[in-house]
Amino acid sequence: GQQVMQIPQYQHVQEGEDFTTYCNSSTTLSNIQWYKQRPGGHPVFLIQLVKSGEVKKQKRLTFQFGEAKKNSSLHITATQTTDVGTYFCAGLEQGGSQGNLIFGKGTKLSVKP
Amino acid sequence: NAGVTQTPKFRILKIGQSMTLQCTQDMNHNYMYWYRQDPGMGLKLIYYSVGAGITDKGEVPNGYNVSRSTTEDFPLRLELAAPSQTSVYFCASSYSPRTGNGYTFGSGTRLTVV
């Protein structure tokens, strides 16, 4: 079945450093979504990418969808302590009959002040 | 607009007891989901529903049951609770996995089975 792999599992950065998490699917995706979960909280939807090669920005966050629609990345510029949490990608298989996204295992980001 | 409401927020069960985790959404979403998240781990899909009267198994359905009699409600039933079911349970809803609005998650139910 479809698998979504996410790396790294953990990332520790100094405040001000950049951070990137990568998401790879075993199959071509119809779309990919990104979520953030703060410690002790619930996942919150950040963004959806649909088009091949698409790039979207939200302030210091940059999201990319690969040309082959099988991979994606989230890049945070100049991390802040408010960026702490776990970032999940979730993909919908192209042409699949499933009614649900497949989530990656997440990247846990810690930021040292 | 309440979004997705889960009750209870916390619960301690004894081995062998049963309980129902409640989930209600007021956004008229067709799709609803139940996930469990073990400490420090990702989300595992238990059951999902694409509309009232329709439910489907996810990755880890054993030990759980669901029903979807209305669009708004999607309760999760635990029968004969086991320590392995100690986890945080999240309910989520969406118009469709293909829309740009993503899943809306509830705040979770933290369940401990002792």
Side-chain angles (χ1 to χ4, degrees):
Chain A
Q2 180 193 3
Q3 288 187 322
V4 174
M5 308 300 292
Q6 199 173 345
I7 57 169
Q9 189 175 0
Y10 302 96
Q11 186 77 56
H12 309 281
V13 300
Q14 192 79 30
E15 189 172 21
E17 291 182 339
D18 292 356
F19 158 77
T20 304
T21 174
Y22 300 90
C23 188
N24 291 285
S25 170
S26 57
T27 59
T28 302
L29 299 171
S30 173
N31 66 47
I32 194 154
Q33 299 182 1
W34 286 91
Y35 293 79
K36 177 183 179 180
Q37 183 178 25
R38 295 182 187 276
H42 58 276
V44 174
F45 173 72
L46 294 176
I47 207 161
Q48 174 174 277
L49 304 171
V50 178
K51 299 176 183 177
S52 170
E54 188 170 15
V55 178
K56 286 188 176 180
K57 293 190 176 183
Q58 289 180 348
K59 297 183 180 178
R60 294 178 295 104
L61 278 62
T62 301
F63 304 85
Q64 295 191 32
F65 201 8
E67 293 290 341
K69 300 184 73 173
K70 295 182 75 173
N71 58 76
S72 181
S73 65
L74 159 59
H75 179 82
I76 302 178
T77 303
T79 54
Q80 300 174 0
T81 55
T82 53
D83 296 324
V84 164
T86 301
Y87 293 84
F88 294 96
C89 63
L92 183 69
E93 186 176 15
Q94 190 167 354
S97 59
Q98 288 177 310
N100 55 279
L101 298 168
I102 304 300
F103 279 80
K105 294 188 184 301
T107 296
K108 187 173 182 178
L109 173 65
S110 63
V111 179
K112 188 175 182 180
Chain B
N1 197 345
V4 177
T5 302
Q6 288 185 240
T7 56
K9 293 191 183 302
F10 304 92
R11 183 71 185 268
I12 298 175
L13 276 183
K14 293 185 179 179
I15 295 172
Q17 288 186 321
S18 299
M19 76 165 293
T20 298
L21 283 66
Q22 301 292 344
C23 177
T24 300
Q25 54 93 5
D26 62 356
M27 297 171 284
N28 202 30
H29 285 170
N30 289 323
Y31 290 73
M32 295 189 75
Y33 314 85
W34 273 107
Y35 290 90
R36 61 175 286 174
Q37 185 176 40
D38 298 332
M41 304 295 284
L43 300 164
K44 293 184 179 179
L45 183 64
I46 305 172
Y47 271 96
Y48 68 100
S49 169
V50 301
I54 305 169
T55 62
D56 239 320
K57 294 179 180 179
E59 182 185 357
V60 290
N62 291 342
Y64 307 94
N65 276 300
V66 293
S67 59
R68 184 93 183 272
S69 56
T70 66
T71 299
E72 295 78 19
D73 301 308
F74 191 40
L76 177 71
R77 179 80 177 165
L78 277 73
E79 304 282 1
L80 300 175
S84 61
Q85 292 178 306
T86 293
S87 191
V88 179
Y89 292 83
F90 289 105
C91 179
S93 72
S94 74
Y95 280 116
S96 160
R98 302 183 187 280
T99 64
N101 297 321
Y103 288 11
T104 300
F105 283 83
S107 56
T109 294
R110 284 153 179 78
L111 176 67
T112 303
V113 182
V114 296

